[in-house]
Amino acid sequence: MKAVSLPLPVEPLERRIRFPVLQRTAGLLFGTPLNAALTLVFGALLMVTVPPVLHWLVIDAVLFEPDPNACRAAAGACWSFVYAKSGQLLFGIYPIDDRWRPAIVCILILALLGWSVRPTSWRPRLLALWLAAFALIVWLMGGGLGLVEVPTSLWGGLPVTLILTVVAIGVAFPVGILLALARRSSMTAVRIGAVVLIESVRGLPLLSILFVASIMMPLFLPESLLPDKFVRALVALTIFAAAYLAEVIRGGLQAIPNGQYEAAAALGLPFWRTQYLVILPQAIRVAIPALANTIIVMIKNTSLVLVVGLFDLISSGKAALADPEWPSPAAETFLFIGAIFFALSFSFARFADFLERRGPTSH
């Protein structure tokens, strides 16, 4: 009898590749006909779009040559404008001779943020460190005690964005916790007051609250009692953030089963110790994704203060583009500003991911 040779089964592509990482990659990219088609389509799109973008960004760009005529003649991006105007973009209309002061403020805030995300630094002394740093920031930015006084109307750029973000979120978070607890309170007057405040603020756009704080308040208060425009915008941002954070935290509180309250009561814990030791740690951990989303939105909402005359990063960029000697490279300017906002938002998103991985969210 003649022997019949049977064809050997053909292994899938991801199994024929011996390296595990390459196996997983091949399975994701070409494991099914749909994946293979999508991989080829997106690969073709990248081949079409990446080379011209790369030429505009780097190859044909003017990088560090501070010459407006070179930007006019170049076919690529004018990064030399960003380089030449970096002081104005980062610090706004702050006096040029004293720009070392907002530079120190930016370094101080970023260093403290980096220090604060370390779990080993989560001690009561961290609050004292931030309070001392805030006093130093106010002295450096405002002057006095040996430094030239600079009014808040001349503050601008990255320091304003960082100060508004850190102070508004730092104050709004504990206020939001109190509002969330008040909204769930059994005391009718406290609950109704919290509901009215939260729903009133959440029912208004942030722009209207900023307009009320910056334009309407001077009509009702005497000049002697009127806070500074920067302080009014900061208070408006804080109230707005507190209302939204309160609802996020209330959602986390509602996710805690009643057995946790009953166990705390069985141990004889009073209300505030129950909240501090048992309920809030679990509620905040459950609400971390929503909290991170709200805080990232608030980081970007600080750019809205430009409508009330404060020079944040975007206002500084617009002021720099008004220079008639340069060809007004708006795309490069706002890419630079967008990169700063992306770095801030992305860094906080990674910190939120770290908090989620640090402990389980189950009870």
Side-chain angles (χ1 to χ4, degrees):
M1 179 180 294
K2 185 178 179 180
V4 178
S5 61
L6 297 176
L8 296 175
V10 179
E11 291 183 341
L13 176 62
E14 62 271 19
R15 292 184 182 178
R16 283 183 283 163
I17 301 175
R18 299 306 178 188
F19 300 99
V21 175
L22 295 180
Q23 289 179 5
R24 290 193 296 269
T25 304
L28 291 174
L29 297 180
F30 300 99
T32 63
L34 179 61
N35 284 354
L38 291 176
T39 299
L40 294 176
V41 170
F42 281 106
L45 289 176
L46 289 177
M47 292 179 63
V48 172
T49 58
V50 168
V53 171
L54 187 62
H55 274 269
W56 184 81
L57 284 175
V58 180
I59 299 175
D60 298 330
V62 181
L63 298 178
F64 301 110
E65 185 178 354
D67 184 6
N69 295 323
C71 283
R72 292 187 178 94
C78 180
W79 297 117
S80 60
F81 174 82
V82 177
Y83 175 73
K85 296 287 185 178
S86 58
Q88 185 175 0
L89 290 174
L90 291 175
F91 308 124
I93 56 176
Y94 204 89
I96 297 177
D97 295 336
D98 293 316
R99 282 181 178 172
W100 60 270
R101 291 154 57 179
I104 293 177
V105 167
C106 293
I107 295 173
L108 178 61
I109 293 177
L110 294 175
L112 280 174
L113 288 174
W115 176 266
S116 300
V117 299
R118 300 167 62 251
T120 55
S121 65
W122 298 345
R123 299 290 186 270
R125 63 174 179 269
L126 183 62
L127 177 60
L129 181 62
W130 271 104
L131 293 176
F134 182 72
L136 179 61
I137 289 169
V138 172
W139 173 62
L140 285 172
M141 292 295 294
L145 299 177
L147 295 178
V148 178
E149 293 189 3
V150 179
T152 55
S153 58
L154 297 180
W155 297 10
L158 184 59
V160 169
T161 299
L162 290 177
I163 293 172
L164 290 175
T165 300
V166 170
V167 176
I169 295 175
V171 176
F173 188 73
V175 173
I177 291 176
L178 295 177
L179 287 174
L181 293 175
R183 184 158 186 171
R184 290 172 52 86
S185 174
S186 59
M187 294 182 286
T188 305
V190 174
R191 185 176 64 255
I192 292 177
V195 170
V196 170
L197 176 60
I198 292 172
E199 296 303 329
S200 298
V201 174
R202 293 175 67 235
L204 296 173
L206 179 56
L207 283 177
S208 64
I209 299 176
L210 289 172
F211 273 119
V212 169
S214 299
I215 298 175
M216 299 300 293
M217 283 186 64
L219 302 178
F220 299 102
L221 292 177
E223 187 70 24
S224 58
L225 299 178
L226 188 65
D228 184 80
K229 181 186 291 187
F230 184 85
V231 176
R232 298 200 300 270
L234 183 58
V235 172
L237 285 170
T238 303
I239 294 174
F240 187 82
Y244 276 84
L245 290 174
E247 285 299 281
V248 173
I249 295 170
R250 184 170 72 93
L253 291 172
Q254 290 180 339
I256 306 302
N258 291 330
Q260 298 293 308
Y261 294 92
E262 295 169 357
L267 293 174
L269 295 178
F271 173 80
W272 288 110
R273 288 184 64 84
T274 298
Q275 298 298 329
Y276 176 71
L277 297 175
V278 180
I279 304 302
L280 284 176
Q282 300 180 66
I284 293 174
R285 182 174 293 172
V286 169
I288 283 176
L291 285 173
N293 181 68
T294 304
I295 292 175
I296 289 173
V297 170
M298 285 305 305
I299 292 174
K300 295 178 288 187
N301 278 346
T302 56
S303 61
L304 295 178
V305 298
L306 66 91
V307 301
V308 294
L310 293 179
F311 274 79
D312 70 321
L313 273 171
I314 295 181
S315 302
S316 300
K318 289 183 176 180
L321 290 172
D323 190 345
E325 295 183 0
W326 289 86
S328 299
E332 296 87 330
T333 301
F334 288 110
L335 278 175
F336 174 72
I337 295 171
I340 295 176
F341 276 104
F342 175 79
L344 294 174
S345 302
F346 184 78
S347 299
F348 186 81
R350 300 284 69 77
F351 173 62
D353 290 342
F354 162 74
L355 291 180
E356 286 188 77
R357 294 191 304 268
R358 190 169 182 265
T361 55
S362 62
H363 300 293

